[in-house]
Amino acid sequence: MRTTAQIIRDLREDNDLKQSDLAKILSVSQQYYSKYEMGQYELPVRHIITLAKFYNISADYLLGLTDYSTAIKNSDFNTPTKELINDILELDDVSKNAVKDYVDLLKLREKYAHKS
């Protein structure tokens, strides 16, 4: 996974912003902000919250804990789906990969079933 430093740099560049723009948003100097992007300083929680709100992304994404920039709301799922997600999250990485492989197989089967 990418580091927070890489993520905030990529987000800034993807949004055509300058370090000085983000420094103003966080109320720090441009030089201080550049240290966040170089990984020399860690972002304080208040800055993580500010950047998550500014970019409309999840804090987990900013921290490199997920590859998905938008948070999934519990209200987006019915109860069986929530239970399935929680069960998958409790698995070790090998088992999670096995679930992913199985889901990929099911999707492939559905794709070809609809062509028939």
Side-chain angles (χ1 to χ4, degrees):
M1 289 221 144
R2 297 182 306 155
T3 65
T4 300
Q6 293 168 321
I7 293 166
I8 63 171
R9 184 192 66 238
D10 291 345
L11 284 167
R12 179 182 57 77
E13 290 174 351
D14 291 347
N15 287 278
D16 297 320
L17 298 167
K18 298 176 192 166
Q19 285 185 344
S20 59
D21 298 326
L22 275 295
K24 286 178 190 173
I25 291 166
L26 299 178
S27 300
V28 297
S29 70
Q30 180 273 325
Q31 293 82 1
Y32 203 90
Y33 177 81
S34 73
K35 304 238 186 235
Y36 292 144
E37 285 194 6
M38 291 188 294
Q40 293 176 342
Y41 294 167
E42 286 190 21
L43 278 172
V45 173
R46 69 182 184 279
H47 290 339
I48 293 168
I49 293 167
T50 300
L51 291 175
K53 288 179 179 179
F54 176 76
Y55 288 118
N56 195 30
I57 59 173
S58 74
D60 283 350
Y61 180 78
L62 265 178
L63 296 169
L65 299 174
T66 182
D67 293 330
Y68 304 102
S69 61
T70 54
I72 299 172
K73 299 177 216 144
N74 281 336
S75 61
D76 291 343
F77 300 110
N78 59 30
T79 300
T81 304
K82 288 179 192 177
E83 290 172 4
L84 177 61
I85 290 169
N86 286 330
D87 287 344
I88 293 169
L89 290 173
E90 292 175 3
L91 298 173
D92 63 26
D93 287 343
V94 172
S95 297
K96 286 177 187 172
N97 285 329
V99 171
K100 168 94 174 76
D101 291 343
Y102 184 67
V103 169
D104 289 343
L105 178 66
L106 290 174
K107 288 167 47 179
L108 188 62
R109 188 176 81 179
E110 281 189 13
K111 176 181 174 183
Y112 286 106
H114 290 241
K115 288 185 177 184
S116 302

